[in-house]
Amino acid sequence: MDDASRRVWIAGDRVHPDGSRRGEVTGVLYGGVGPAVASADTAAPLSGVAVDPTGSKVYAGQPDHIANYSHENGSLSPLDPIPAPADDCGRELVHTGGRLFFTSRAPASPEGCDDPVGIGSVGVAATADGAGAGEVMYSYTRVHLEGGPGGLLVTAPERWSPTDDPDLGIYRVTDGADGNVLEFLGERRFAEGGTGPGMDFRDADFSADGSVLAVADGVRGTVLLGGQDARFLDNAYAPLPEGVAPTAVAFSPDGKWFAQGGAGSGDAADLTVASADPAVERQPLRIAFDDEDAGRRVVPRGMEFSGDGEQLFVVTSDQEGTKFWLHTIQTREALATPSSFVEATPGTRSTTARSTGSM
């Protein structure tokens, strides 16, 4: 999400009718200056996208580097690529605390991305003022990243078996004066006393003030943690309907709204939007995505609010995960409806791509 330039940036691979593939970085304008869509082509595969808080730099993950673009009024110009370790599993990128962080993982074969044998890493890029690059941590499984206010950073490894209990970590980005780029704040394992299934990570997001971290867990639904220490918090939010698998969570930066996305079937609601303050007594907005031309489920890590909280951007996919749509939901209009369940997506703009994408 690029609040400075008022664009939603998406990175992914596009499959053309002749079977060829190209990576594509796309910025969809939702208010601001420039053309409605800004884009740049790269070699496939392409994964992960991040943007500088000023909106002047856009980054996208490639297998052997990080693609780097300058951005002005919808025009993307390539800059020198950012060095990064090899990656065959799809990078995640996040810009927080003035630094660009990214994941890398290069198993012996593409089929080995989910194999616990092998080491991946979380790296940090160098900055223009001389702060150095390097790896900040290592992991035996894929790692997901999420940034937050005040330079917060979450690292969440995937579990490699139902009995694995991965360790979610919360950090704060520092100036690196002591040689450490990250200050450790807290960690959390989801299995109680080493029993039961561990964390099955789908997505995470910080509240506007950074005090709460919401985690979409494939086993437990939405789990709330302390944003500064990772302690378990009581969850007073209405859950997704029964049978809807959690895929995404998002707080609005203005502190007003909290959204939960999922993958259901039929007329089950795949999206729930409620007040970020659980004490507010009002029915949440529920939206079902069940249209061959608009998607059937919210994709993992597929939701972000605009900075003012007035728009929620949701990426949906078809059942097979081969086509994707970007929906724009005007929160003020949608939440003013007297009905708490909406079968069509209000204020929707859809785009289609044929491959995996990420916001």
Side-chain angles (χ1 to χ4, degrees):
M1 181 61 60
D2 178 0
D3 286 315
S5 301
R6 307 284 285 179
R7 287 184 183 272
V8 181
W9 291 98
I10 300 174
D13 296 342
R14 183 177 291 275
V15 181
H16 296 284
D18 62 0
S20 62
R21 298 176 63 188
R22 292 290 297 173
E24 186 176 48
V25 183
T26 302
V28 179
L29 185 71
Y30 64 93
V33 179
V37 176
S39 64
D41 289 337
T42 71
L46 180 67
S47 62
V49 64
V51 62
D52 182 278
T54 66
S56 62
K57 296 282 185 67
V58 178
Y59 312 95
Q62 297 265 240
D64 56 355
H65 66 271
I66 307 296
N68 183 14
Y69 299 92
S70 65
H71 171 240
E72 184 176 2
N73 296 340
S75 177
L76 289 174
S77 302
L79 301 173
D80 291 339
I82 297 172
D87 176 84
D88 294 323
C89 300
R91 298 188 193 276
E92 290 202 12
L93 285 73
V94 64
H95 201 291
T96 184
R99 303 295 297 268
L100 176 67
F101 294 86
F102 52 85
T103 63
S104 304
R105 184 167 170 80
S109 68
E111 294 76 17
C113 288
D114 297 323
D115 193 323
V117 177
I119 295 179
S121 66
V122 176
V124 61
T127 63
D129 59 8
E135 277 75 53
V136 295
M137 65 183 67
Y138 297 91
S139 173
Y140 286 100
T141 61
R142 296 192 199 191
V143 177
H144 300 286
L145 305 179
E146 183 67 40
L152 292 171
L153 176 70
V154 168
T155 61
E158 286 190 4
R159 64 178 189 178
W160 56 270
S161 77
T163 58
D164 185 34
D165 191 12
D167 190 6
L168 178 146
I170 301 178
Y171 303 83
R172 190 185 305 278
V173 181
T174 73
D175 59 11
D178 62 355
N180 297 312
V181 178
L182 297 176
E183 173 192 2
F184 174 75
L185 298 181
E187 62 183 355
R188 176 57 54 197
R189 297 184 187 273
F190 281 26
E192 298 181 5
T195 63
M199 175 181 66
D200 188 11
F201 183 84
R202 294 293 183 269
D203 192 15
D205 197 27
F206 283 99
S207 60
D209 61 2
S211 64
V212 177
L213 176 70
V215 180
D217 180 85
V219 176
R220 300 164 182 82
T222 298
V223 177
L224 300 185
L225 303 175
Q228 309 293 311
D229 54 15
R231 74 187 188 281
F232 282 120
L233 302 177
D234 292 336
N235 184 1
Y237 292 115
L240 290 166
E242 185 176 353
V244 177
T247 59
V249 288
F251 283 102
S252 63
D254 67 345
K256 291 183 178 179
W257 312 115
F258 175 60
Q260 302 173 81
S265 60
D267 60 0
D270 305 289
L271 175 64
T272 297
V273 185
S275 171
D277 182 357
V280 174
E281 295 184 0
R282 62 174 296 169
Q283 288 294 317
L285 170 74
R286 297 189 186 275
I287 296 176
F289 296 101
D290 189 26
D291 188 330
E292 200 63 42
D293 295 321
R296 296 189 180 278
R297 56 182 57 197
V298 179
V299 303
R301 299 173 297 284
M303 299 194 309
E304 292 284 350
F305 281 94
S306 59
D308 57 15
E310 294 192 358
Q311 294 164 102
L312 172 62
F313 301 97
V314 181
V315 176
T316 62
S317 75
D318 59 2
Q319 202 76 19
E320 296 73 27
T322 57
K323 295 181 180 180
F324 298 84
W325 293 263
L326 173 63
H327 302 273
T328 305
I329 298 172
Q330 309 293 337
T331 55
R332 182 179 298 179
E333 297 174 12
L335 289 158
T337 179
S339 171
S340 63
F341 187 91
V342 180
E343 294 183 354
T345 51
T348 298
R349 174 172 52 210
S350 302
T351 58
T352 306
R354 291 181 177 273
S355 188
T356 303
S358 57
M359 293 173 64

